[in-house]
Amino acid sequence: MTATNVIPGRRDRRRPATTARGSPASATSTPYISFPGNASEALRYYADLFGGELEIQTYDAMPSMEGFPFTPPPGAVAHGTMTSPTFSLAGGDGMGDNLPVLASDVYSFLLTYDAEDEARAFIAKVLDGGGTTGMPFEKAPWGDLYGQVKDRVGIRWDVNVPGGA
């Protein structure tokens, strides 16, 4: 999954990012989700979906909770990471009452594939795992193949193949 075209005015993601002074940038970005009590299940699902490696640390495994401003429920995830060749995600269990649901159309993750068959395979895997179609995967007005699926956790995935491959 790599960019195959570059939109004018945007940085070519195939080249390393640089700072304003021209030196290599040292920061990376990984989405972090505060799950509503199902972080372990969700992160395991994403490791299966993307073929990633999973690391989960629960509050139970911490040597001491002294000084923490809250008491987490047994088995709650303090921090977890799922790392795959195409996507990385971090998260943990949110704490407190009235946690918001994850299902929303105000955010999504955009996956850009080089090949239509890879994109369709991802969509099929999401749908087979209990997801739903938000927008059919077909030729978009701007010329790309594009569609949307929402996974069983509630996250929306926008799937794109530049130029319709």
Side-chain angles (χ1 to χ4, degrees):
M1 197 165 63
T2 59
T4 56
N5 62 352
V6 178
I7 298 171
R10 291 197 180 162
R11 183 177 69 80
D12 182 347
R13 299 273 182 224
R14 294 171 289 184
R15 293 188 318 210
T18 58
T19 65
R21 294 187 179 137
S23 60
S26 61
T28 60
S29 176
T30 301
Y32 188 99
I33 298 174
S34 291
F35 293 96
N38 64 339
S40 181
E41 173 192 339
L43 289 167
R44 290 178 199 289
Y45 167 69
Y46 293 123
D48 179 60
L49 186 64
F50 289 99
E53 304 237 348
L54 185 61
E55 292 184 27
I56 293 179
Q57 180 182 19
T58 64
Y59 288 102
D60 297 341
M62 293 186 173
S64 171
M65 290 297 295
E66 188 176 327
F68 268 59
F70 56 87
T71 302
V77 174
H79 182 74
T81 56
M82 186 289 303
T83 306
S84 80
T86 58
F87 185 76
S88 294
L89 180 67
D93 284 316
M95 295 293 133
D97 298 327
N98 303 320
L99 294 171
V101 296
L102 295 179
S104 176
D105 284 328
V106 299
Y107 72 92
S108 64
F109 294 109
L110 173 64
L111 297 176
T112 300
Y113 287 92
D114 290 330
E116 180 179 347
D117 61 333
E118 292 175 336
R120 289 194 184 279
F122 173 80
I123 291 168
K125 195 166 184 180
V126 170
L127 296 176
D128 290 347
T132 58
T133 300
M135 182 182 291
F137 185 69
E138 56 192 29
K139 189 89 158 183
W142 57 88
D144 294 355
L145 286 171
Y146 177 83
Q148 299 172 354
V149 290
K150 191 168 284 188
D151 68 32
R152 70 178 188 217
V153 178
I155 303 298
R156 190 180 94 193
W157 300 91
D158 297 357
V159 182
N160 190 67
V161 178

